Amino acid sequence: MGGFAMKGLVQAVTLYRVRQATGVRDRLQARSEGGAFVGRRAELGLLTEQWRCAQRGTGRVVLIRGEPGIGKSRLLREFAATLQPEVHTWIEGFCAPFFTNTPFFPLIEGFERGFAKPGDKSRAAVVARLRRSLTDLAPRLDYAVPIIAEMLDLPLPSGYAPILLSPDQKRRRFIEAIRRLDT
Ligand SMILES: Nc1ncnc2c1ncn2[C@@H]1O[C@H](COP(=O)(O)OP(=O)(O)OP(=O)(O)O)[C@@H](O)[C@H]1O
Ligand SMILES: [Mg+2]
């Protein structure tokens, strides 16, 4: 929007108008500079080793933590690149400080991204895609449609009865539905 004189500042400050969210997920993506990946052989090797265990049927969870900017996201991105030729499913979920009061935020946000497409005219279109995706995965997942729709604040699709359960029961049904998505 050009330069503006601000009270107390000698130089003009350039202001920008926010138009829309970019869909960029983290700082690493926002910078989008590549640059050669240096070192981290041991860390990559460790991730690969755990992945091989998981492939053989021994599930693995890896926690990567370290100071800001130490290279956690980059390590994951490089690991993801090594997986490219292999059969795998990559699911990403993000937490954010603004959403500490939103239960299941990473899951809900992931679903939103997975099912809502830029061209969607209405929430009804989103819920229709959710229903198709779930029943394409497995017809028996049909029961999960109203549960997930409600978690995503989507209207109940026609032909489904509203779920009359306590919040705690709904929570449990939601977790159960999520677990079944994987089987
Ligand atoms: N092994 C590496 N070789 C080259 N560049 C690297 C390496 N690891 C990280 N970088 C670069 O350093 C910067 C910070 O890395 P990254 O964003 O992965 O850090 P992070 O630990 O995820 O930080 P944050 O905690 O802020 O999310 C990026 O520009 C990334 O490309
Ligand atoms: Mg990061």
Side-chain angles (χ1 to χ4, degrees):
M1 293 164 60
F4 282 77
M6 295 281 185
K7 195 174 165 188
L9 294 180
V10 181
Q11 288 191 335
V13 176
T14 307
L15 297 187
Y16 298 87
R17 186 191 304 280
V18 176
R19 289 213 297 244
Q20 62 185 43
T22 59
V24 164
R25 313 295 312 271
D26 62 7
R27 285 178 292 278
L28 184 61
Q29 222 183 341
R31 280 193 296 265
S32 81
E33 42 47 57
F37 184 59
V38 183
R40 296 281 185 231
R41 294 284 140 225
E43 290 84 353
L44 267 183
L46 197 132
L47 288 175
T48 306
E49 214 174 285
Q50 303 312 306
W51 165 236
R52 297 282 170 244
C53 286
Q55 281 178 309
R56 288 194 296 267
T58 318
R60 288 288 193 245
V61 176
V62 178
L63 169 69
I64 303 172
R65 69 174 168 194
E67 287 162 36
I70 200 83
K72 303 178 293 294
S73 303
R74 181 70 189 266
L75 177 65
L76 262 191
R77 202 169 81 185
E78 300 294 335
F79 174 61
T82 70
L83 290 184
Q84 271 324 308
E86 304 192 34
V87 178
H88 68 283
T89 306
W90 186 272
I91 301 172
E92 261 184 49
F94 275 72
C95 297
F98 318 115
F99 299 107
T100 45
N101 292 325
T102 307
F104 303 110
F105 174 76
L107 284 174
I108 289 172
E109 199 265 348
F111 274 120
E112 288 274 355
R113 251 178 323 117
F115 295 119
K117 297 281 181 279
D120 280 335
K121 300 235 170 6
S122 64
R123 304 296 283 163
V126 180
V127 80
R129 182 168 308 103
L130 167 75
R131 192 177 62 77
R132 274 201 306 278
S133 307
L134 287 180
T135 48
D136 280 355
L137 275 175
R140 71 194 161 72
L141 285 175
D142 196 49
Y143 88 100
V145 173
I147 302 166
I148 297 180
E150 185 173 302
M151 287 304 275
L152 300 188
D153 251 338
L154 292 168
L156 195 65
S158 61
Y160 292 88
I163 10 168
L164 304 169
L165 296 172
S166 72
D168 188 52
Q169 284 170 317
K170 279 182 191 168
R171 205 183 115 259
R172 267 183 261 168
R173 291 278 287 276
F174 182 69
I175 294 173
E176 185 194 302
I178 298 299
R179 292 184 61 186
R180 287 212 204 164
L181 288 183
D182 196 37
T183 55

